Amino acid sequence: MKARCLDKRGSFFKLIDTIASEIGELKQEMVQTDLTVEDESADLRSLVKDMDNVSPEKNDVKSCPRDSGYDSLSNKLSILDKLLHTHPVWLQLGLNDAEAREILQAQPPGIFLVRKSPRLQKKVISLRLPSDCGSCLKEFAVKESTYTFSLEGSGISFADLFRLIAFYCISRDVLPFTLKLPCAIAAAKTEAELEEIAQLGLNFWSSPANSNPPDPPAPRRPVPLDSACKDSRQLCLINGVHSIRTRTPSELECSQTNGALCFINPLFLKVHSQDVGGSLKRQSPRTQDVNGAARPRSPPPRPPPPSINSILTSPQLSRTIKQASMPETVNHKKERGLDLLQNKPTPIPPPRLKKQAVSSEVEGSSKNTVVIRPGCSSVHMPEAAGVPGETLPEPTPAAAKKTVASSSESHIPWNGGRQRLSDMSISTSSSDSLDFDRSMPLFGYEGDTNSSLEDFEGESDQESMAPPLKPKKKRNSSFVLPKIVKSQLRKVSGVFSSFMTPEKRMIKKIAEMSQDKRTYFGCLVQDYVSFLQENKECHVSSTDMLQTIRQFMTQVKNYLSQSSELDPPIESLIPEDQIDVVLEKAMHKCILKPLKGHIEAMLKEFHTADGSWKQLKENLQLVRQRNPQELGVFVPTPDFVDVEKIKVKFMTMQKMYSPEKKVMLLLRVCKLIYTVMENNSGRLYGADDFLPVLTYVLAQCDMLELDTEIEYMMELLDPSLLHGEGGYYLTSAYGALSLIKNFQEEQAARLLSSEARDTLRQWHKRRTTNRTIPSVDDFQNYLRVAFQEVNSGCTGKTLLVRPYITTEDVCQLCAEKFKVDNPEEYSLFLFVDDTWQQLTEDTYPQKIKAELHSRPQPQVFHFVYKRINSDPYGAVFQNNDDSAS
Amino acid sequence: FDHNISPTIGASFMTKTVPCGNELHKFLIWDTAGQERFHSLAPMYYRGSAAAVIVYDITKQDSFHTLKKWVKELKEHGPENIVMAIAGNKCDLSDIREVPMKDAKEYAESIGAIVVETSAKNAVNIEELFQGISRQIPPLDPHENSNNGAIKLGKQTSQTGRRCC
């Protein structure tokens, strides 16, 4: 709805309604109710005044949609939201240098793409430079650490890529100027519009959607400057008069000189943002200044509050910046809230949150949390509040400085009213929270932060732009939240659910997706899980089952990392070297968690069936009865109490579904064992000592389930982890258990005297030699053939002749064996009953032999290989023989 | 006992990073028990490893014999192309030496292994040992970022002789 003069009243009331309802929500989430109430009233009052003040201005601006903020209510899209929705447009990891250049060449300066540079093997922001810069685009590499994303050369890290980009849309930090969203995206007011744009994907850049920005870029530049100047002047005037007007966050800077009160209402922020988006009228320049100038450091992710921070020292603040930054305004809306909170502050976030913070969730994006603080609560507050308009500015900064840790709010006294100001701090909970959780990397920046961050101090309005102020505050401690605070924050509301680390969020998202059968991934997982549960017979062994599951997890991981089902892509949320880790955890959650019970039952079933369970049980008892020395232990062993502790750890292990977590527990057990071993001797022990102790301990624990636990871990653990420490100790535990399992056998072997062993060896030898003696069956494959003479058995040979080998073949064989030069002169004869029979080529010698054997009265017979009649030498014999026969 | 080697849980698993050329090789050192009793478990330890350090005690001829058995086992059952290194430990006690350096060198040559005499106690030659192994390990796929599994077969059960690396 537009706020026109005519509707002014109407819209005003509507606004109030909305505010009231929001406040109602806030109340519910509030930690401290009493404070809130006050605030509310204050807010309302101030709002009212604001509205009044605003109205005149509105008249001027009539045509503009910017209004009382009512619109903003419905339009809650922040920069971050826009980025999230439209990543298919700007996040183009697969784009190469040339393609990126081609796209960006046609775009106005400030437009960017994020892609993965094949050359650098890193993600980069490809930024379109103004045409007078020589080359038309420049690349800024993104550095990914284990937990964070940052731009190379910058000290500010972000939990994910979206936050990084969102920040750089507002603050240039190490960039030559801030990033700019394409007009169509910047101007979009609804998710639907963004979706539409996102649908275009890469085609967006060449589509008419991109070319028809609501606000043509060209005009923008000039406009902002002018308007900025005007605005600022106007503001000054107003401030002087003590009149209250609504200021967009960007305007705040201007008011600082006066020690203006800073009342930042989320609603207004929205409005502001809207304005920016729609008709960038006024504020844009300032915002830019601020952004450009201030680098919020400490709060890693947070963008600095646009309006508030300015750095005197930094040249950036100067107008040049303004000009360049035009595009930023758009972004503002989103960030505003976030920035304010974070930058400001606030080192002492905890207290403030605890005591006085009221958080309301911004509907549009859960990521931004708006914390409204009642003015009084904060340390600064009193000062700020106490000082009326003019004086205020200075005290505030001072206070801020003093209490470095103090909250981040900006205090600007209300000029007009003697009323108190209510400070509002807006924070993006998500980013903050992330930081807290992983605060480590952030801390490093504290030093930097100090200098760069400042509270907002009053700036002089003097120039059209807000002059940069010197950063007064240090933000060092701002991000360290005490635990208590954290937990309280968590309680506050769903808003804070965004406190989850990106990793957890990603895992949660994947887990949710795995439940959703509308996704391919969900179908895969669900079908597999139910298939396994229903088909118990599909695996032949426990190893087979576990390996299949492991394989499935690996495949699904590959699928997820390559498919587009994860939206936004995982690369934008998780640093590259962590992607696999995160996916692995997600697999555990969506596959192993539901299957854990089934797997355990099946393992038990397999082991009962194959007897290994029983074997282990029996041997375990045997081993338990041995003393440590008998097991090869010559170092101190854990006592009863330690064994109990270890048992507890193992029991905890049984409850886990994640093999990684199980391994962690195993490592703790090993650590404990080592501590016991070393505590008492002061030296380092290697495997020679550790393995026996481990065996002893596992036996003392007397837990059959360990067997399946270890199998579960060995087979299901991410194979890449098997090489590390976890893999080593897992191997050791597996080895120790298998020693236990085979204890009896081993003992048996050990007990044999060397004599017995020799006997055993001989026996074994005998057995094997026996086996080489042909059996009856084998006999059938041999044929003893004499050479030349019947009587010369010694010249005969045993040949391998299979049943279906013909006489012809046997003849060939004989020719070879007896080294006959002219085989055609020889043939195979059967001599039986004193008669010679030449066997025809197609007969089967073995059959003949079998037939002879089967005769009731065994006859003496010989197979003879000899010359056929024609042979002069053999002829004699032959003839004789023949005649004989 | 080398300071560059960091045990976290205990001394039987260690990691050591060795610069080699312009890359770093990270050794994951798996110690395995040398006693006969645990012999059957050894394959689980050397499976998949890129290098093996077999340690003997220069003051015990027996340990050198046992070493030969390990070499044989590794040749027969170990991973193909495994880099073998023979470390004669306790070189600080060379006055009671039983195994001449010459024997070890000849033997190592015959099997194509790296040989070095070390002192775990005084951290002598340990760096050299790993550097030598590093040079022989074939360059890895850059993505694997030089994760080499190396396995030490701690053969001796003698007290001071245990080298953790």
Side-chain angles (χ1 to χ4, degrees), chain A residues 671 674 687-688 725 728 732 739, chain B residues 8 12 31 33-35 45 156:
Chain A
K671 182 75 199 169
Y674 252 109
D688 287 342
E725 195 155 42
Y728 175 81
S732 298
L739 283 180
Chain B
T8 47
S12 52
D31 185 16
Q35 302 99 308
Y45 289 84
Q156 323 124 293

Side-chain angles (χ1 to χ4, degrees), chain A residues 630-631 667 671 674 683-689 691-692 722-725 727-729 731-732 734-735 739 746, chain B residues 1 8-13 28 30-35 37-38 40-41 44-45 48 154-157 159 162 164:
Chain A
E630 287 177 284
L631 297 174
L667 288 182
K671 182 75 199 169
Y674 252 109
R683 43 168 297 220
L684 291 174
Y685 290 99
D688 287 342
D689 294 302
L691 210 48
L722 282 176
H723 293 294
E725 195 155 42
Y728 175 81
Y729 286 102
T731 304
S732 298
Y734 178 81
L739 283 180
E746 190 212 4
Chain B
F1 299 93
T8 47
I9 303 281
S12 52
F13 174 88
L28 307 172
W30 290 37
D31 185 16
T32 182
Q35 302 99 308
R37 181 196 299 270
F38 300 108
S40 61
L41 304 183
M44 298 193 320
Y45 289 84
K155 307 179 15 343
Q156 323 124 293
T157 51
Q159 320 81 342
R162 168 157 316 92
C164 297

Side-chain angles (χ1 to χ4, degrees), chain A residues 66 79 82 186-187 215 220 248-250 269-285 287-288 326-334:
Chain A
R66 114 180 256 271
I79 291 184
K82 292 184 175 182
D215 300 333
R220 276 192 178 183
T248 56
S250 55
L269 290 175
K270 299 238 154 169
V271 176
H272 165 76
S273 54
Q274 207 183 5
D275 294 350
V276 175
S279 59
L280 322 167
K281 337 178 129 174
R282 6 143 105 176
Q283 344 62 343
S284 47
T287 338
Q288 298 163 358
M326 275 284 320
E328 299 167 359
T329 26
V330 175
N331 302 335
H332 263 327
K333 36 148 108 173
K334 250 242 154 151

Side-chain angles (χ1 to χ4, degrees), chain A residues 553-571:
Chain A
M553 291 198 292
T554 306
Q555 286 167 349
V556 174
K557 252 175 22 175
N558 289 340
Y559 166 75
L560 270 187
S561 59
Q562 287 161 21
S563 84
S564 55
E565 276 200 314
L566 272 181
D567 180 39
I570 191 167
E571 292 95 331

Side-chain angles (χ1 to χ4, degrees), chain A residues 1 109 275 279 306 314 381 385 411 433 524 571 591 609 668 846:
Chain A
M1 13 210 68
D275 294 350
S279 59
S314 67
M381 284 309 299
H411 316 276
S433 55
L524 268 182
E571 292 95 331
I591 298 172
R668 270 189 237 159
Q846 288 290 20

